[in-house]
Each structure stands twice: as structure tokens, then as C-alpha cells.
Amino acid sequence: MTVLVFLDPAFPSGRVADASVPQLLATDLGATRGDGVFESMLAVDGKPRKVSMHLDRMAASAAALELAFPAPGQWEPAISTALAEFGRVHGEPQAVVKLILTRGPEGADQPTAWVQASPVPASAARQREAGLDVLLLDRGYDSTVAEHAPWLLLGSKTLSYAVNMAAIRYAREHGADDVIFTSSDGKVLEGPTSTVVLATVQNGTKTLLTPELESGILPGTTQGALFQAAENAGWQLGYGPLEPTHLHQADGVWLVSSIRLLAPVKSINAEPIAVSPALTAELAALVETVL
Amino acid sequence: MTVLVFLDPAFPSGRVADASVPQLLATDLGATRGDGVFESMLAVDGKPRKVSMHLDRMAASAAALELAFPAPGQWEPAISTALAEFGRVHGEPQAVVKLILTRGPEGADQPTAWVQASPVPASAARQREAGLDVLLLDRGYDSTVAEHAPWLLLGSKTLSYAVNMAAIRYAREHGADDVIFTSSDGKVLEGPTSTVVLATVQNGTKTLLTPELESGILPGTTQGALFQAAENAGWQLGYGPLEPTHLHQADGVWLVSSIRLLAPVKSINAEPIAVSPALTAELAALVETVL
């Protein structure tokens, strides 16, 4: 099902491996400490989208963890190999491409790096179409802590995602689909696997807003691409701080990410918010132009 | 070097595996999401110490992550097998025994569980003898958040340890050996891999203190055993809230954990604190009586 290609100096195009048999040492610090970084991107017709944005962000995450980051010239051929193999096996036009880099086996001082290509989960299109019921959950952090506490790795996409996964489970058990994290000082942060974007339309001026990066959130690659396209199309852009009232007052709220793309939020804490199919269509079209 | 034994229904005593070759699927959610729990314990002469305390705590961590937890009757034979194999291979009296449980391969709904036995790192005895220079680092959380935000998994020992590892790296790069985390409201929490214990001696009354569990810290198995032994030996016991001033005013501060045991703190943020070899010896002897 999943195609696996390891970065391996002996294989310039990456070493294809069988995902159905063990490929990782049990002592890999990725598995025992969540000590590593990752990216997920969408590939369409064998081409990964926003690959340089993802590689740049992954390099920044690796730097925050003091992990040596393989050069793009090592990742890119491995991604191509994975997508060629995925096309051969699956024949589907779309794939999820994951890049993973761990600190490697304990004591070895040799990172483990690989590319996975797998089918896009059916839930992505379903949630994009149906929209999302979202819970606001406290992320526990103050929105100012990231700047003076680099050891918290805020804004880095690490393999330590247990809290993100627990938050989504919590939402599902409480009748929702997804989560928007808030800071302990009441600011809107991000989703566990997405960026929050909202739109306002006033007197013919359309504005896209997203929380500011200084609050310790991950810089969204899809949000970044969308904002660029929107600006080119005449939208105003704005960056937080945002509070939950802004979500309730907006003309539309979306969770934006590389695989699910633009998923409209239809309720927050079980309270319906404004949903605009027209804005969703317009923004989705903008996403398509840049990707 | 490392002995590996998987929990496997087909092998009632555990399935011994070669740690030098891959044993985990690359899609295991332990490796890709830090989604799992673990415990580390010391074994002496083939016997794991405090095994039921560790299994109880791991069961609680697994419950917080909604992971099915294998029964002690599955872990214990696997631990015995690992230690027998470790003794055969290494002939050392002491071993680190790690228990690891992940959510298993993506989409499989089948947790992965294994036992590792490996040599005790030389740094454990060295730090126990030499003492620790410690930095206070902000953990970013308020000491009251754990109680109303179960999705933060505070007090659970998850595989998502990237922040703990980053904090220790940060300390080492700033001339220290280890870290004591503080809450955003200024309370003493815990070390990245240890519990904070401090002692006061006033008018012949000896008191052991540790931060209160409600602040979202992990319940320390070694701290728990030490407190029980100390109480039996006539010590008074106390539980936080503690603030950094308490550390500076104490007659001794220790970081307590299962492998390194009782390591005295000799400075905090480069400021020397009281160190009492007599109290360290007395408490170390108490640790030995219960383990």
C-alpha cells in the first residue's frame, strides 16, 4: 500500500524498500523518543506540490532540533522515485508524500531519512465537502512563550505528535471533527494538523486573516501559498492576534493544510458559524492556481 | 548490544529479536507520530526493580492515550526473557529495561509492544557521583492546566519526548547537565527525565518535599519508593506547590529517576546551592532498601 524510499548515499535516487516488512531499528530515536521532524505534501500526477516550501520548513524544523538535514538534492530524487513507484503500483493521480527524518538509532549519530507515498485518505475529500465541526481546545501555552523558550520547539513540525493526535481523538469523542487550539491567554493558534484562516468581506473589501507566527504556530505552507495567490487577486491580508470572537464574526473560517486543502469550519463548540460556499469556492480556486 | 523481546501472542515468553536489524514497520505510529508510551527501569542481577509500579504507571499512560495495554502477565515473561538473554550476552549485573508500546502501524489497529534490555550508560554513575548543574527552564504550561485539559497528556509518559530531549540539549549547550522545568506561573515541576526532591532539616526534623502531582507532572516511581522508605525511617513528607526559592533554601535538592537514581543538584542557573553528602548518602541508602 505505502511506497517507501530511504535516503541512502549508496542509492542516489533513493533506496526503495518494502513497507510491509520491518525497515526501522527498534532503537531508532524516532520510535523511542519521537525525536525527529516530518512533512506531508500532496502529489498530483506524479508531481509533489510546494516541494521547496516543504523542504525549507523541514530544514527549519531540523535546525530547531539540531538535526543534520539532508540536502534537497537528496530528497528530491527519492521523492521522484517514490512517486514513480506509487504510480506504477496504484495508478491513482493523487498521493500523500511524507518526508521523515529521525535522529536515528540510539548511539549511532546517523539520522534516518525516508519518503513515504500513500493514497490520499477518503476523509480528506469528505471533510472538504461536508465541512468541519470544530472544538476550541487549550494548547496550554501562552502566545508569547515561543519567543523566549526555544526548547519547546514551538513552530517546528516534530514527530512528537501525541498531543495533536489526542486532541483530535478528544474532539471526535465529543461530537466534533477537528480542533482549533487556543493559547492560555485566549488567542487562536492553529489546528493539530492545519492552519486557521478566516475571511471578512466589508464594503467590497475582502480580507484573509491568520494567526501571527510569533504565537508559536507552524508556518502553514498552504496558508502561505493561498495568501500569496489571494494578494495577487486583490485580497487584503492580515496576521493575528486573533481571538475566538474573530472566528464567530468572520464571513468564513477554514482549516487549511496540504492534503485536505481548504476545509470550511461550520461550527465552533457546537455553535454554528457563517459558512460561505462562494468564498470557499473562490479560495479553493486560488489554492489550485498556485499549487 | 541491546536485547529485544517483542510481546507476541504466538510466543508466551516473548519473541526474541535481533536489535541490529530492522524490526519495526516504517509506518508504525510510534515512529511517525511519537504515538505511544514507555517506561524505563533498572534491573539488578536479572531482577527488574519496582516492576509493578512501572507497569501501573504505564497502564495509566496508555489509558490517557486510549491504547489497549497488554496485561502484566504478558510483559513480565518478556522482561524475564530479555534479562536472561541480556545476562547471557553481557554478563553485567545491571541493565536498563525499557518497555515500549506504540499505536502500531498506521491503519492496522494493532499496537506494537516490546522490551529492550541494554547496558546502564556510564553517565548515570558519573552524574550520581559528581552532582548536577541544572538550569530552570520554562515548560510553558500553567501548573493548573493539566486538570482541565486531558488532551495535553500531562502526567503521561509518552513517546513524544522531543521537547524533553531539546531541553537537555539546551542545558548542555549552556554549561549545565540537566533541567528542572518550571510552570508559566513559576512553580517547580520536574526534570525532563526525573522527579525533583528536596530536603529540609530544621530542629532535628527532616522533611522530604516534591512538587504536587496536580501540577501535571509524572508520578515518579523512584520518588514514590523513596518517600515510603523515608516515612518509615521517620522523615516528614510534603507535596508542593514549590517555587525556585524553595530549591535555594533547601538543605539538599536531587533529581530522582529509575536509572540514575538519586543525583544531587549542586547549582541552579549557575548559582551554587546547598549540597549535603550526608543527606545524599542517607537517602541513597533508603532508595536501596526499597528497591
Side-chain angles (χ1 to χ4, degrees):
Chain A
M1 196 80 163
T2 296
V3 170
L4 216 57
V5 179
F6 281 84
L7 271 60
D8 184 332
F11 296 79
S13 304
R15 174 172 53 80
V16 178
D18 183 350
S20 71
V21 300
Q23 298 289 354
L24 298 180
L25 294 182
T27 56
D28 195 291
L29 291 161
T32 60
R33 296 289 195 184
D35 199 358
V37 297
F38 77 104
E39 286 290 326
S40 298
M41 67 187 97
L42 186 67
V44 179
D45 296 329
K47 284 209 181 97
R49 286 179 159 186
K50 305 189 264 93
V51 66
S52 64
M53 291 177 81
H54 284 286
L55 286 170
D56 287 351
R57 185 170 72 177
M58 196 175 181
S61 296
L65 271 73
E66 301 177 22
L67 275 174
F69 187 66
Q74 293 175 268
W75 287 106
E76 284 158 359
I79 294 169
S80 297
T81 300
L83 286 171
E85 183 69 10
F86 181 86
R88 201 181 61 73
V89 174
H90 288 276
E92 291 176 22
Q94 297 206 337
V96 176
V97 175
K98 259 183 123 166
L99 314 182
I100 297 179
L101 174 69
T102 81
R103 202 172 297 279
E106 201 162 350
D109 200 23
Q110 174 64 49
T112 310
W114 74 94
V115 178
Q116 288 177 198
S118 55
V120 175
S123 59
R126 197 169 60 230
Q127 295 188 333
R128 198 159 53 223
E129 299 301 321
L132 300 170
D133 294 310
V134 163
L135 290 191
L136 295 184
L137 295 184
D138 186 354
R139 187 62 189 81
Y141 294 122
D142 187 278
S143 66
T144 65
V145 76
E147 299 194 305
H148 69 83
W151 53 86
L152 296 180
L153 306 176
L154 295 173
S156 300
K157 199 168 172 76
T158 79
L159 296 175
S160 286
Y161 252 43
V163 167
N164 304 49
M165 300 295 100
I168 293 174
R169 276 196 305 277
Y170 184 92
R172 292 194 179 148
E173 288 157 10
H174 291 79
D177 304 298
D178 210 326
V179 169
I180 293 177
F181 282 128
T182 53
S183 64
S184 57
D185 52 336
K187 305 292 184 255
V188 171
L189 296 176
E190 61 193 342
T193 66
S194 61
T195 312
V196 178
V197 167
L198 57 89
T200 62
V201 184
Q202 279 188 316
N203 307 323
T205 301
K206 293 185 286 189
T207 306
L208 271 187
L209 294 148
T210 196
E212 77 285 16
L213 288 182
E214 292 72 18
S215 61
I217 61 172
L218 198 68
T221 60
T222 306
Q223 169 270 319
L226 170 62
F227 269 44
Q228 201 175 342
E231 187 170 40
N232 294 341
W235 286 68
Q236 301 293 309
L237 304 180
Y239 299 88
L242 298 174
E243 296 182 0
T245 51
H246 294 105
L247 303 176
H248 288 282
Q249 291 160 0
D251 293 296
V253 177
W254 297 267
L255 293 186
V256 170
S257 53
S258 292
I259 309 303
R260 197 174 54 189
L261 302 173
L262 196 78
V265 176
K266 54 185 182 180
S267 77
I268 293 175
N269 292 352
E271 195 180 318
I273 63 167
V275 174
S276 166
L279 285 172
T280 297
E282 182 177 349
L283 294 172
L286 287 173
V287 166
E288 287 302 318
T289 63
V290 286
L291 298 181
Chain B
M1 198 82 163
T2 297
V3 169
L4 216 58
V5 179
F6 281 83
L7 269 60
D8 184 332
F11 296 78
S13 305
R15 175 172 53 81
V16 179
D18 183 350
S20 70
V21 300
Q23 298 289 354
L24 298 180
L25 295 182
T27 55
D28 195 291
L29 291 163
T32 60
R33 295 290 195 185
D35 200 357
V37 297
F38 77 105
E39 287 290 327
S40 300
M41 67 188 95
L42 187 66
V44 179
D45 297 328
K47 285 209 181 96
R49 285 178 159 186
K50 307 188 261 90
V51 66
S52 65
M53 290 175 83
H54 284 286
L55 286 170
D56 286 351
R57 185 169 71 176
M58 195 174 181
S61 296
L65 271 75
E66 301 177 22
L67 274 175
F69 187 66
Q74 293 174 266
W75 287 106
E76 284 158 359
I79 294 168
S80 298
T81 300
L83 286 171
E85 184 69 8
F86 181 85
R88 202 182 61 75
V89 174
H90 287 276
E92 290 176 25
Q94 296 205 338
V96 176
V97 175
K98 258 183 123 165
L99 314 183
I100 297 178
L101 174 69
T102 82
R103 202 171 299 277
E106 201 164 349
D109 199 21
Q110 175 64 49
T112 310
W114 75 95
V115 178
Q116 288 177 200
S118 55
V120 175
S123 59
R126 197 170 59 231
Q127 294 188 334
R128 199 159 52 222
E129 299 299 321
L132 300 170
D133 295 310
V134 163
L135 289 191
L136 296 182
L137 294 184
D138 185 355
R139 186 62 189 83
Y141 294 122
D142 187 276
S143 67
T144 64
V145 75
E147 299 194 304
H148 68 83
W151 52 86
L152 297 180
L153 306 176
L154 295 173
S156 299
K157 199 168 172 74
T158 79
L159 296 175
S160 285
Y161 252 43
V163 168
N164 304 50
M165 300 294 101
I168 293 174
R169 275 196 305 277
Y170 184 91
R172 292 195 179 147
E173 286 158 12
H174 290 79
D177 305 297
D178 211 327
V179 169
I180 293 177
F181 282 128
T182 53
S183 65
S184 57
D185 51 337
K187 304 292 184 252
V188 171
L189 294 177
E190 62 192 341
T193 65
S194 60
T195 312
V196 178
V197 167
L198 58 89
T200 62
V201 183
Q202 279 188 316
N203 306 325
T205 300
K206 294 187 284 190
T207 306
L208 271 187
L209 294 148
T210 196
E212 77 283 17
L213 288 183
E214 292 73 17
S215 59
I217 61 173
L218 198 67
T221 59
T222 306
Q223 169 270 321
L226 170 63
F227 269 44
Q228 201 175 343
E231 188 171 39
N232 293 342
W235 286 67
Q236 301 291 308
L237 305 180
Y239 299 88
L242 298 174
E243 296 182 1
T245 51
H246 294 105
L247 303 176
H248 288 283
Q249 292 162 359
D251 294 295
V253 177
W254 297 266
L255 293 187
V256 172
S257 53
S258 292
I259 310 302
R260 196 174 56 189
L261 303 173
L262 196 77
V265 176
K266 53 186 184 182
S267 78
I268 292 174
N269 292 352
E271 193 180 319
I273 62 167
V275 174
S276 167
L279 286 172
T280 297
E282 181 177 347
L283 294 172
L286 287 173
V287 165
E288 288 302 318
T289 62
V290 284
L291 298 181

